[in-house]
Amino acid sequence: QVQLVESGGGLVQAGVSLRLSCAASGRTFSTYAMGWFRQAPGKEREFVAAISRSGGNIYYPDSVKGRFTISRDNAKNTVYLQMDSLKPEDTAVYYCAADQWGAGSSRGKQYDIWGQGTQVTVSS
């Protein structure tokens, strides 16, 4: 079972870019579909992006499509979330999650391993 550690969050101004990383321990990273989710204060957890085990299938909600890019490097056991043109409404704690043998899903319940989260704050 992998463990996940996110990094790359911070305080930025609207319009700039930020790249989040999620490093996984263990040797079985390539057996996991990966997802990114976020949760703002007082709001429900929201799906941000998902990528299949090989990286061949990628999914985004309309709220981030065209601005966010998910990618993975199985050799480095890492999944990335490139966030461009950030908006104040992107402010949240961002979590990566892993679903072994999955195909990539927008459903949080599909994932059984979660990182601790990294804060992203976008000022106007």
Side-chain angles (χ1 to χ4, degrees), residues 11 25 33 51 62 77 83 104-105 116 120 122:
L11 171 62
S25 64
I51 188 167
D62 289 342
N77 283 11
M83 305 185 294
S105 174
Q116 84 289 349
V120 173
V122 184

Side-chain angles (χ1 to χ4, degrees), residues 27-89:
R27 302 179 180 181
T28 60
F29 179 69
S30 62
T31 67
Y32 290 84
M34 300 298 296
W36 284 97
F37 294 79
R38 66 186 181 187
Q39 189 165 21
K43 294 188 177 182
E44 294 187 352
R45 184 176 59 197
E46 178 187 15
F47 168 66
V48 175
I51 188 167
S52 61
R53 286 170 278 148
S54 67
N57 293 302
I58 290 175
Y59 310 94
Y60 305 101
D62 289 342
S63 58
V64 306
K65 194 175 295 182
R67 298 190 299 122
F68 289 12
T69 304
I70 188 172
S71 62
R72 67 187 296 161
D73 186 336
N74 286 346
K76 294 183 178 180
N77 283 11
T78 303
V79 61
Y80 304 97
L81 184 68
Q82 176 69 37
M83 305 185 294
D84 298 323
S85 303
L86 282 163
K87 304 175 181 180
E89 51 263 45

